[in-house]
Amino acid sequence: MVAPDPVRYADRQLTRDVAATKSFPLLLPRKLTRMAASPFGYLRGAAPLYYELLAEHPELAEGPSGEGWLVGDAHLENFGAFRTADKDGAEAVVFDVNDFDESVIGPFRWDVVRLLTSVILGGRGLGSNGQQSVQLCHSLLDGYVATLCDGQVPKHAPLAVQALLAKVSSRDRKMLLDQRTERVGHRRRFQRGPRYEELDPEIVPKARAAFEQYVERLDPDKRVVRDHFAIEDLAFRIAGTGSLGGLRIAVLTLGKGDIDSRWVFDMKVEGVPSAQALAPQTQVPAERVLMATRACLPNPPRMAGTTELDGLSMFVRRLLPQEDKLDLTRVAATELPELARYLGTLLGSVHRRGARSLPSSRWDDAALSALTERAIVVAGVHEAAYLAMCRTLPTT
């Protein structure tokens, strides 16, 4: 069906990565190192390559009906635990999709094929053979269709998810602060090192103004205590894989005032989504991310908002100690089918909430088989491009 040139795809992706990190070129080696860790790591950092494949080979983009908000970068590690608050202020720790940076309005099948591709590549990294990885795709699709098309809701989370939620629920703010900051007298500051670096002095006043604008938008009626948002420290944050290389600012505020009650925020530049050529979007980038988050999650992460810095659109959220991801290497092989089915239900729930049009009919076995076949092709292209990239990297 597809006769790609993996070297060409790898070269194009590298060109994109060089362009994405041009403002902070020292981050390029870090991004390439993360992408070189595995074919799945390469998939995580190469969302544009996926949509380039769909554009150049339209048969890969075809499939059953249904359209609405997409995650845009659906893969195994874009699910995780986080704390949320409902409209009445009640707090809960949940496990759900946790990244909408690449969100677009488009056909649901694009998200499904990308998530299936990550199951094939990620499953093999967990020790599953090819046959087992394909079976995990079937489990995922079973859960997805039951939720999207039939409206079924899972009765309980898999044991691995339950264990993660139990673990993170016991964490407090001091644990988060001790991991990311250091005490200096009666103050705290971010620990400079692999995770945080000094922010360019020219950016500091602009970052302060951008954060103040975020607070104004978050609370235009001034119902919250503004002292909670008083900035104590700013740093350049290094995180992610696909987004690594863009401006990302960590903000430490006084919070409730006690040295162990500080608040940590993340301000990240958002750009044109990778699927733009296939599904043009007109929203301001950070507003697009916020709209998708609110549309697709019953209770979005707390204090999500937007701002601008030097014309750059930034998505802002507060980091909380309950944020974490599953360590898939610790999930027993016997639990993987149930987990795959559960992730399918979560993606189905996201699509059902953010739907512009639900499927005209239930996705049948022939359609699901075709989606798996497309994911197998896409996985093969990514693995070949991954190897082509690794061939060009210096040996260590």
Side-chain angles (χ1 to χ4, degrees), residues 377-396:
V377 172
V378 173
V381 173
H382 279 78
E383 183 151 12
Y386 158 75
L387 292 172
M389 180 201 72
C390 289
R391 188 184 65 175
T392 67
L393 298 180
T395 56
T396 58

Side-chain angles (χ1 to χ4, degrees), residues 333-350:
T334 55
E335 296 180 38
L336 289 176
E338 183 186 11
L339 178 60
R341 191 179 199 283
Y342 186 68
L343 297 183
T345 66
L346 294 181
L347 184 63
S349 296
V350 161

Side-chain angles (χ1 to χ4, degrees), residues 175-191:
M175 294 176 64
L176 175 72
L177 291 169
D178 288 345
Q179 289 173 350
R180 296 171 180 268
T181 71
E182 58 189 2
R183 295 180 60 157
V184 181
H186 298 291
R187 300 173 61 84
R188 282 188 180 266
R189 71 189 299 271
F190 289 111
Q191 298 174 9

Side-chain angles (χ1 to χ4, degrees), residues 151-192:
Q152 295 182 13
V153 178
K155 294 182 180 180
H156 61 274
L159 292 177
V161 173
Q162 293 182 41
L164 175 66
L165 293 175
K167 180 179 74 172
V168 302
S169 294
S170 64
R171 295 175 182 169
D172 59 21
R173 194 174 302 140
K174 184 177 183 299
M175 294 176 64
L176 175 72
L177 291 169
D178 288 345
Q179 289 173 350
R180 296 171 180 268
T181 71
E182 58 189 2
R183 295 180 60 157
V184 181
H186 298 291
R187 300 173 61 84
R188 282 188 180 266
R189 71 189 299 271
F190 289 111
Q191 298 174 9
R192 271 50 173 184

